Amino acid sequence: MADKITSSRGPRRASKPQQPTGFVHEKARVLVTGAAGFIGSALIHALNQRGISQIVVSDFLGEDEKWRNLAPLDFEDYVPADELLAGLGRDPDRFGKFTLCFHLGACSSTTARDAGEILRINFAYTRDLCRWALGTGTRFVYASSAATYGDGSRGMSDQEPNLRRFRPLNLYGYSKQLFDLYAAGQEILGEIIGLKYFNVFGPNEYHKGDMASVVCKAFAEVRATGTMRLFKSYRPEYPDGGQKRDFVYVKDAVAMTLHLADCEDAGGLYNIGSGQAHSWLELAHALFDALSLEPRIEFIEMPESIRGQYQYFTQADISKLRATGYTLAPTPLREAVRDYVVNYLSRGARLGEEGGA
C-alpha cells in the first residue's frame, strides 16, 4: 500500500469567512429615506449595481409619478415616511438592524413658504432620525444643501468652522442649515456625514416639476419649439446666460455619496459637486448638441419674486472630499448632458430600466 502523501505545510485549516470592511458591501443592510425621489432612487440603483439589495425604502408617496423610480429597483421593504419615525420611536429595531441610513428625504422646494411644515420635515424629522441612528450604531448620512451658502458672498467652503456666517436665501436653505447648526452644537457633526449637494441633474427627476433641472425642463421645450428660454441677468458683471452654476451629474453625486459613506474616517460636512462652474449658455449649447440642433436661445425676464433669492455663481470646493481618497473625475458637462438626453430623456427611461445605464 502506498504511503500516505502529506503536505509539508501541515494540515489545512478551514478558512474563516472574510469579514467585509467599510460600510458599503454586499452584506450591508441599508435604510434610504426619500427613496422614490431623484437622488434617493439613483442611490438605490447604484447600491443594486454593487450587489446590495437588503434595502428598506421610505418616502411620502402621493399622486405624482415618482413611484415609477422604484419599480426597476431591488429592495426588501417599503415603509411610508410618516410611519417610519413612529415605528422606530416605539422600537428602535422595529424594522431590523441597519448598517447605514441615507436620509435623503426632504421638501426641496426653494419657493415653499409654510415654515412650520418645512421645519417639521427638513429639520425635526432629520434630528429625530439622526438620534435613532446614533443610538443604534447605524452610520448616518444626510442631505444638507449648497443652498445653505446663500448668495456665496461668504464663501462656499465645507471646512468653514463658523456655520452661522452663512445666510441662506430661502426657507429651504435655512431648514437645511438649521440641522447643520444643531449637529455642530450637539458635537455630533463629526460622527455623521452631511452632504451639500450643488446643482444635481440627471435621470429620475421627471416628477420634480418646476424643481427639475433646466436640462429636464428645457428638453421638452426645445423638442416642441426649437427654442430654449433662459433668465436675463440683473447684475452687470454677468451677461445674459453668463450666470454660473456647479452642475453635477447625478451618477457622479451618487458615487461621491457612496464613497463618503464607505470611508470610515469621513465625518462632517462635504460639498458634492463637479468643482467647476459652467454658465447657463454652456449648458444650453450642450443640450442642443445632444439633440443635434442649432442653438436657439431666448432670454426672458426673471420673476420678481425670486430675483432677491437668485444665485449668480456657485462652485463647489471639493478638496475636502478629495482628501478622503476620492479620485474619480466628474463627468464632463457635455458628456453628462448627452448621456442624460440620449439614454434617458429621449426614451423616457429611468435608472434600472432597459435602455438606461
Side-chain angles (χ1 to χ4, degrees):
M1 187 178 205
D3 292 337
K4 185 177 180 180
I5 300 174
T6 59
S7 169
S8 61
R9 291 177 292 181
R12 293 183 63 188
R13 297 179 181 178
S15 60
K16 294 181 180 180
Q18 188 173 1
Q19 293 299 313
T21 59
F23 299 92
V24 183
H25 50 76
E26 289 187 9
K27 294 183 178 180
R29 191 159 183 272
V30 183
L31 172 63
V32 182
T33 72
F38 174 32
I39 299 176
S41 58
L43 178 78
I44 295 169
H45 176 255
L47 289 171
N48 286 170
Q49 288 186 312
R50 295 187 182 206
I52 300 172
S53 59
Q54 292 184 103
I55 305 170
V56 174
V57 305
S58 182
D59 209 327
F60 290 104
L61 292 180
E63 297 181 0
D64 61 20
E65 293 286 287
K66 71 178 180 179
W67 64 269
R68 294 186 181 278
N69 288 341
L70 291 176
L73 306 179
D74 189 7
F75 53 91
E76 69 177 35
D77 197 6
Y78 163 76
V79 181
D82 54 354
E83 296 179 14
L84 180 65
L85 276 183
L88 294 174
R90 290 191 296 269
D91 177 3
D93 297 328
R94 167 68 179 81
F95 305 106
K97 297 283 189 181
F98 292 96
T99 313
L100 276 162
C101 172
F102 291 98
H103 178 44
L104 305 178
C107 176
S108 59
S109 172
T110 57
T111 58
R113 296 185 179 278
D114 187 338
E117 182 68 2
I118 296 300
L119 293 185
R120 182 184 70 83
I121 295 173
N122 292 0
F123 171 70
Y125 197 106
T126 307
R127 178 197 62 206
D128 294 347
L129 194 63
C130 180
R131 287 174 175 171
W132 161 81
L134 292 176
T136 57
T138 303
R139 187 154 174 82
F140 188 68
V141 182
Y142 74 97
S144 180
S145 173
T148 58
Y149 294 133
D151 63 7
S153 62
R154 303 187 181 207
M156 294 187 173
S157 173
D158 51 9
Q159 302 183 62
E160 169 58 56
N162 181 15
L163 299 178
R164 293 188 182 279
R165 66 180 270 109
F166 299 127
R167 293 290 183 269
L169 297 175
N170 51 52
L171 178 59
Y172 165 71
Y174 174 67
S175 70
K176 290 295 186 177
Q177 184 193 37
L178 197 60
F179 181 75
D180 295 345
L181 290 170
Y182 170 81
Q186 295 292 309
E187 298 183 346
I188 59 173
L189 191 54
E191 301 176 42
I192 61 181
I193 295 175
L195 305 174
K196 290 182 178 279
Y197 291 107
F198 278 65
N199 285 73
V200 186
F201 72 97
N204 288 27
E205 60 171 328
Y206 299 110
H207 64 282
K208 289 174 67 71
D210 287 343
M211 299 310 300
S213 73
V214 168
V215 179
C216 183
K217 292 188 288 187
F219 170 78
E221 180 183 44
V222 170
R223 289 225 300 192
T225 69
T227 301
M228 180 175 176
R229 297 183 299 168
L230 294 174
F231 286 139
K232 293 180 179 179
S233 171
Y234 297 86
R235 289 171 57 174
E237 64 268 38
Y238 293 94
D240 291 340
Q243 309 96 315
K244 290 188 173 184
R245 291 283 191 281
D246 187 324
F247 302 107
V248 57
Y249 200 30
V250 69
K251 294 179 181 181
D252 294 328
V254 165
M256 295 171 185
T257 299
L258 289 176
H259 166 82
L260 288 169
D262 199 39
C263 182
E264 296 186 15
D265 294 331
L269 297 169
Y270 292 86
N271 286 336
I272 302 296
S274 70
Q276 179 64 52
H278 291 278
S279 71
W280 290 110
L281 280 174
E282 290 178 90
L283 186 73
H285 282 271
L287 176 60
F288 280 103
D289 181 65
L291 289 168
S292 300
L293 295 173
E294 288 296 318
R296 285 175 50 188
I297 300 167
E298 176 188 352
F299 294 102
I300 62 173
E301 300 291 341
M302 185 185 302
E304 290 195 20
S305 60
I306 66 171
R307 287 185 195 180
Q309 305 176 12
Y310 189 80
Q311 290 177 308
Y312 276 77
F313 181 90
T314 67
Q315 180 171 289
D317 175 356
I318 58 173
S319 58
K320 187 177 177 182
L321 168 69
R322 292 294 190 199
T324 66
Y326 187 80
T327 60
L328 297 178
T331 308
L333 183 64
R334 280 185 174 268
E335 290 181 23
V337 172
R338 176 170 292 278
D339 181 57
Y340 186 19
V341 168
V342 173
N343 293 317
Y344 299 96
L345 289 172
S346 295
R347 304 179 184 186
R350 288 172 166 80
L351 288 164
E353 291 179 337
E354 185 176 353

